Amino acid sequence: MAQATFSIRMDEALKKQFDALCSDFGMNASTAINVFAKAVVRERRIPFEITASEPEISRENAMKAFRTLRAQANKDFPDGMSLEEINEEIKKSRNGEGNV
């Protein structure tokens, strides 16, 4: 099989850590990248979860979310129900009774 060169840029400190860890695994960085590429092709996905960091929650964003939820609640819930009636509807729903 013909070989091709794959060049990437990486933070120097990260590269040193990666090289050291690969060495601990008994391989070099090139072999580790090949193992990763083969797993991606075989599984047709990145073989681990990639997530975004948690967004910063500011007072402004929290209040915006609260106002949005309050507006939705005002739209979805019937007027004139007491807290007791709402709790009763919740209880019925949990017990499989009612049409909620």
Side-chain angles (χ1 to χ4, degrees), residues 69-85:
L69 288 172
R70 183 169 39 183
Q72 188 67 41
N74 286 337
K75 178 183 162 207
D76 291 342
F77 294 106
D79 289 333
M81 287 184 78
S82 69
L83 182 56
E84 291 79 21
E85 290 170 321

Side-chain angles (χ1 to χ4, degrees), residues 77-92 94:
F77 294 106
D79 289 333
M81 287 184 78
S82 69
L83 182 56
E84 291 79 21
E85 290 170 321
I86 293 171
N87 285 331
E88 186 62 31
E89 289 297 319
I90 292 169
K91 185 178 174 182
K92 285 179 183 177
R94 287 182 178 160

Side-chain angles (χ1 to χ4, degrees), residues 4 16-17 25 33 35 42 45 52-53 55 58 62 65 72-73 76 80-81 94 100:
K16 285 180 182 179
Q17 292 173 330
F25 293 151
I33 298 293
V35 168
R42 181 182 62 248
R45 66 180 188 88
S53 60
S58 66
Q72 188 67 41
D76 291 342
M81 287 184 78
R94 287 182 178 160
V100 178

Side-chain angles (χ1 to χ4, degrees), residues 19-30:
D19 286 338
L21 188 58
C22 288
S23 179
D24 289 348
F25 293 151
M27 65 178 83
N28 61 28
S30 181

